[in-house]
Amino acid sequence: MAYLPDNLTRDAEPLGRTLLDLFDSGDPFSRHSSVLTDTYLAAAIRVDTYATHIADALAADTTVIEDRSLHTLYSYSLAALLQKYQTPADNAITWLQQVGTLAGPAADRSLWLRLPPDDAIARAEHRQGHPYSDEQRAFLRYVHDAYTTLAANDADLHVVDVSGLDPYDTHQAVLAAVDDLILPAVDSPTIS
């Protein structure tokens, strides 16, 4: 099994690092003035991630757990499209899924670990070690709403409600959500 952390915490090859640097505007919630720029850069980063970190592992029959993938790209771009451009959700999702086809194959199972938005924001602020601005918090609420819209329109995105769960129970909920993808355990011979 291989775990691929999110873009902020993983190593990247020179091309991937250049793409990540282009993507970084200093504000992780309002990267550039164009949703097109953000979406296509995010797709290019995913293409690089797939080519350099995922494809070989999958070819070797390794299970890959990717922290943040296509649905993260979709949710942030959808939030911008709904908030700034008042794009109808169906049209926006269709366009994002078309862009997603350029970004490499989707996961066999995509999970959204759903928390109430304010709880998710508080956890993110704790991880980052600083509070977010009111504008950043407002945008993250739009991202939560975008995930809700995606989950209602995309059967490939499975919602796992982790409200109030501790890490152990969260782990158990995730295992239950991917149970049909896990190989059955090999029975041990009985010793008499």
Side-chain angles (χ1 to χ4, degrees), residues 108-145:
D108 291 331
R109 180 69 38 92
S110 295
L111 305 179
W112 172 32
L113 304 185
R114 183 178 59 199
L115 286 169
D118 288 336
D119 292 352
I121 292 166
R123 286 185 183 192
E125 288 174 326
H126 178 73
R127 274 193 315 273
Q128 294 293 315
H130 60 82
Y132 294 143
S133 70
D134 290 343
E135 183 180 15
Q136 290 170 330
R137 287 188 196 105
F139 183 71
L140 286 175
R141 288 184 188 96
Y142 276 104
V143 172
H144 176 86
D145 293 345

Side-chain angles (χ1 to χ4, degrees), residues 74-187:
Y74 297 160
S75 66
Y76 278 78
S77 292
L78 181 59
L81 289 166
L82 296 175
Q83 177 191 23
K84 296 178 183 177
Y85 302 97
Q86 291 78 46
T87 306
D90 291 345
N91 294 348
I93 291 170
T94 298
W95 176 72
L96 289 167
Q97 289 172 334
Q98 290 170 345
V99 172
T101 62
L102 303 173
D108 291 331
R109 180 69 38 92
S110 295
L111 305 179
W112 172 32
L113 304 185
R114 183 178 59 199
L115 286 169
D118 288 336
D119 292 352
I121 292 166
R123 286 185 183 192
E125 288 174 326
H126 178 73
R127 274 193 315 273
Q128 294 293 315
H130 60 82
Y132 294 143
S133 70
D134 290 343
E135 183 180 15
Q136 290 170 330
R137 287 188 196 105
F139 183 71
L140 286 175
R141 288 184 188 96
Y142 276 104
V143 172
H144 176 86
D145 293 345
Y147 262 116
T148 301
T149 301
L150 283 170
N153 289 284
D154 187 344
D156 293 331
L157 179 59
H158 303 273
V159 179
V160 179
D161 191 343
V162 297
S163 302
L165 298 183
D166 63 21
Y168 176 81
D169 289 333
T170 298
H171 179 75
Q172 295 306 311
V174 169
L175 287 178
V178 298
D179 185 55
D180 61 320
L181 296 175
I182 299 171
L183 294 174
V186 176
D187 290 332

